[in-house]
Amino acid sequence: MAEAAGNAGSLGPCVDPAGEGAELAAVIGATVPTGFEPLAAEEVQEKLGSASRISRDRGKIYFEIPAQALPQVHRLRSVDNLFVVVQEFKDYQFKETKEDALKDLEDLVEKLPWTDPLKVWELNNSLKKKKTERRKHNPQSAVRKEKLNSDREGKKADQKDTKKEEDCAQDTAGVEPADGHDTGKTPEVASQNEEEEEDNNKQSDAKNELQAGAGTETKAGDSRTSDGEAKVLKFRVTCNRAGDKHSFTSNEAARDFGGAVQEHFQWKADMTNFDVEVLLNIHNNEVIVGIALTEESLHRRNITHFGPTTLRSTLAYCMLRLCDPQPMDIVIDPMCGTGAIPIEGAMEWPSCYHIAGDNNPQAVRRAANNMCSLLKKNENKESSASQGMPLDIIQWDICNLPLRTGSVDIIVSDMPFGKRIGSKKKNWDLYPACLMEAGRICTPGTGRAVLLTQDKKCFAKALARLGHIWRRAQTLWVNVGGLHAAVYLLRRTWERAEEK
């Protein structure tokens, strides 16, 4: 049995060395866009002050935090999903036969240190509930919302009561505060103040939960109803397996491991309407058991109007971070689609000016509607008024942009792959023309571009033709919807580009 259990790795729940009353800590696992693991680790270090370890299994990083820092973890922009690590085995020795290997996984359940990870899961759940209650019952927010509505009604008395959302797309450029008054705060300062206030509320909630939990003795994983009665939790086990030396399938591992979890905790199995999701990640001989902290991916945050090729917000953030925007930079996305990149940029780098454009009028409408939806969403939060976004959306021709030569600092774009939009044949003409026009508008010497494409052969040929304008600084291999794509970081040379 010792052989089956393998060697426990350095990661795992941070056991409280000082005993009762000391701060609860946890090791958090995060799934991130493949290829951007180092960049996600940089964000964790910058915002949480925690060093990260990049997993051998691509697309995952691990870092340790105090439990009360959970609210900041959910605010990370490069993270798709989060889970708390129960235990990691770096060199798990699987038995050769299927029956023996699955039996060892079943026996492993009894040996795992579930207590602290389940406390972190319960804390995470309580924070989500309190956030919802605060939004519902905050009287100050209700007064502000009522004031905004009354101001609008006074200004729009001569307009129709019903208005289609598409109309909003025509007025998105240079959006001003909704109530028409100057609040005296820049969008960046106001946004930071709101985020700090929300973080302080969440941290206070987390601290109170931890203090309350220190004084009560409950069985790990127990939950209580409003009447104080014990609630039987519903759960499921999800197995993610990679490697060709396993004698079992992912479904078989999840089934048998889940049966042992059910027997151990007396929980009820439910594949759809579950309270707890137990994760069993197997990558060759590396095994990590965890408990999910997110119900859906955190990349679903900005986009409400989807197109045929909508980019994930987490991938958009990573592409923007790769080019290191500085205050007052002009950042453009000449092929914006639904606007995932410029909207993410305007949210995270409000001191830059962002311009989005596309030659497709339907794509421009979608991007504008996504911007409107996000403004309304932010307006409904605990803020006095919507502060607008440093973003304009325009319809234009990518090969003939209405921008002055050398006027742009950064270009970030998801180029057509030639599958759902355009064709591989058209890309042979489109890519060189795009790079030429991008070189014209980008500032010589300091300008940079981050471009995503799956048509790597065509892009390499186009870049070779324009090597006097663009120098390739870095290439990252990423997975986009199952397609093997590449992100290129280009730097503008000092050579003059042809002017039209």
Side-chain angles (χ1 to χ4, degrees):
M1 189 57 63
E3 179 188 3
N7 298 320
S10 59
L11 288 178
C14 183
V15 180
D16 186 352
E20 187 176 352
E23 188 175 35
L24 177 66
V27 172
I28 302 296
T31 61
V32 301
T34 56
F36 284 103
E37 297 89 349
L39 201 137
E42 285 178 15
E43 186 193 10
V44 171
Q45 181 68 52
E46 177 187 303
K47 296 181 178 179
L48 300 176
S50 300
S52 300
R53 180 178 73 81
I54 298 173
S55 172
R56 286 178 289 177
D57 185 10
R58 291 193 74 201
K60 292 187 180 70
I61 62 171
Y62 298 93
F63 51 92
E64 186 176 325
I65 59 160
Q68 68 183 49
L70 274 174
Q72 291 100 308
V73 176
H74 282 273
R75 294 186 64 84
L76 294 173
R77 309 298 287 184
S78 59
V79 166
D80 284 312
N81 290 287
L82 297 165
F83 59 94
V84 56
V85 174
V86 176
Q87 193 160 1
E88 178 196 40
F89 300 91
K90 287 188 175 179
D91 188 21
Y92 191 99
Q93 300 299 316
F94 290 100
K95 294 290 182 64
E96 292 185 4
T97 65
K98 180 195 293 187
E99 291 75 14
D100 289 343
L102 292 175
K103 181 65 168 62
D104 285 344
L105 285 177
E106 290 181 36
D107 295 340
L108 184 62
V109 172
E110 294 283 345
K111 301 176 180 180
L112 293 173
W114 295 97
T115 305
D116 282 355
L118 280 170
K119 285 180 182 177
V120 173
W121 172 82
E122 288 173 349
L123 175 62
N124 188 70
N125 266 13
S126 66
L127 292 175
K128 286 191 292 185
K129 289 176 184 176
K130 288 191 175 183
K131 180 181 177 182
T132 304
E133 289 171 2
R134 194 157 44 233
R135 283 179 177 174
K136 285 182 179 178
H137 303 295
N138 191 318
Q140 189 176 5
S141 177
V143 169
R144 287 171 176 168
K145 188 173 180 182
E146 186 178 348
K147 181 181 181 299
L148 287 173
N149 291 336
S150 62
D151 287 345
R152 285 194 189 122
E153 286 172 6
K155 290 185 176 182
K156 299 181 180 180
D158 58 337
Q159 297 179 2
K160 294 182 179 180
D161 292 332
T162 58
K163 190 174 186 181
K164 292 184 180 179
E165 191 172 7
E166 283 76 7
D167 294 341
C168 181
Q170 299 173 8
D171 304 316
T172 52
V175 179
E176 296 182 1
D179 60 355
H181 297 295
D182 183 4
T183 60
K185 296 180 182 179
T186 64
E188 183 177 6
V189 172
S191 175
Q192 287 175 350
N193 288 343
E194 291 157 21
E195 289 175 4
E196 286 174 6
E197 184 180 350
E198 187 173 351
D199 274 349
N200 290 338
N201 288 335
K202 287 182 179 179
Q203 275 193 348
S204 177
D205 290 342
K207 195 170 182 180
N208 292 339
E209 287 289 332
L210 288 172
Q211 289 173 349
T216 58
E217 293 289 334
T218 57
K219 184 180 176 181
D222 274 0
S223 183
R224 301 275 173 185
T225 63
S226 57
D227 299 331
E229 297 177 358
K231 173 188 173 184
V232 178
L233 293 177
K234 290 181 280 189
F235 83 104
R236 82 170 184 188
V237 172
T238 301
C239 177
N240 300 299
R241 184 182 62 86
D244 53 3
K245 295 183 179 180
H246 305 128
S247 58
F248 52 85
T249 65
S250 300
N251 286 338
E252 289 169 339
R255 179 197 63 202
D256 289 23
F257 192 81
V261 170
Q262 184 177 28
E263 186 175 343
H264 180 68
F265 289 108
Q266 297 300 306
W267 291 342
K268 182 180 178 182
D270 193 321
M271 298 300 292
T272 54
N273 188 26
F274 51 86
D275 301 304
V276 186
E277 183 177 20
V278 178
L279 304 175
L280 179 61
N281 296 328
I282 301 173
H283 183 257
N284 293 324
N285 281 355
E286 182 184 69
V287 176
I288 296 179
V289 181
I291 301 172
L293 299 178
T294 48
E295 296 174 3
E296 65 174 7
S297 176
L298 297 177
H299 80 261
R300 302 176 182 274
R301 55 177 176 251
N302 295 337
I303 306 302
T304 53
H305 296 73
F306 294 87
T309 58
T310 300
L311 194 70
R312 287 183 298 165
S313 295
T314 47
L315 185 50
Y317 172 84
C318 290
M319 290 173 64
L320 284 156
R321 189 179 176 94
L322 186 62
C323 60
D324 189 24
Q326 299 298 311
M328 307 307 293
D329 275 353
I330 296 177
V331 185
I332 79 159
D333 180 356
M335 295 171 278
C336 69
T338 55
I341 292 173
I343 289 175
E344 185 70 23
M347 294 292 291
E348 285 300 298
W349 287 274
S351 56
C352 298
Y353 176 52
H354 304 264
I355 308 175
D358 205 288
N359 69 336
N360 187 331
Q362 190 174 10
V364 173
R365 281 196 298 271
R366 287 194 188 109
N369 286 332
N370 281 324
M371 179 179 169
C372 282
S373 299
L374 196 59
L375 285 170
K376 289 178 182 177
K377 178 182 173 183
N378 292 342
E379 183 181 298
N380 292 333
K381 288 184 178 180
E382 299 172 16
S383 60
S384 58
S386 170
Q387 298 293 329
M389 295 172 70
L391 168 63
D392 279 327
I393 301 172
I394 310 167
Q395 184 178 348
W396 58 26
D397 177 8
I398 174 59
C399 299
N400 189 21
L401 297 173
L403 299 170
R404 287 181 296 185
T405 299
S407 61
V408 172
D409 299 290
I410 295 173
I411 299 171
V412 185
S413 197
D414 175 13
M415 303 184 76
F417 288 9
K419 292 183 177 292
R420 295 183 183 177
I421 293 179
S423 67
K424 297 264 186 181
K425 184 177 180 181
K426 290 181 180 178
N427 284 350
W428 286 97
D429 294 324
L430 178 65
Y431 280 20
C434 288
L435 287 175
M436 177 63 77
E437 183 67 353
R440 180 186 70 81
I441 65 171
C442 209
T443 308
T446 59
R448 53 254 190 230
V450 172
L451 303 173
L452 166 67
T453 180
Q454 192 260 343
D455 197 349
K456 300 179 284 292
K457 182 179 179 182
C458 180
F459 188 88
K461 289 280 188 181
L463 190 60
R465 285 173 54 184
L466 298 167
H468 62 291
I469 297 176
W470 291 109
R471 178 176 58 84
R472 183 168 64 179
Q474 192 175 354
T475 304
L476 298 176
W477 306 109
V478 299
N479 186 305
V480 182
L483 298 175
H484 187 58
V487 172
Y488 297 92
L489 171 61
L490 309 180
R491 298 204 178 273
R492 181 69 168 84
T493 66
W494 287 100
E495 287 286 328
R496 284 177 59 87
E498 295 180 12
E499 293 192 33
K500 295 184 180 179

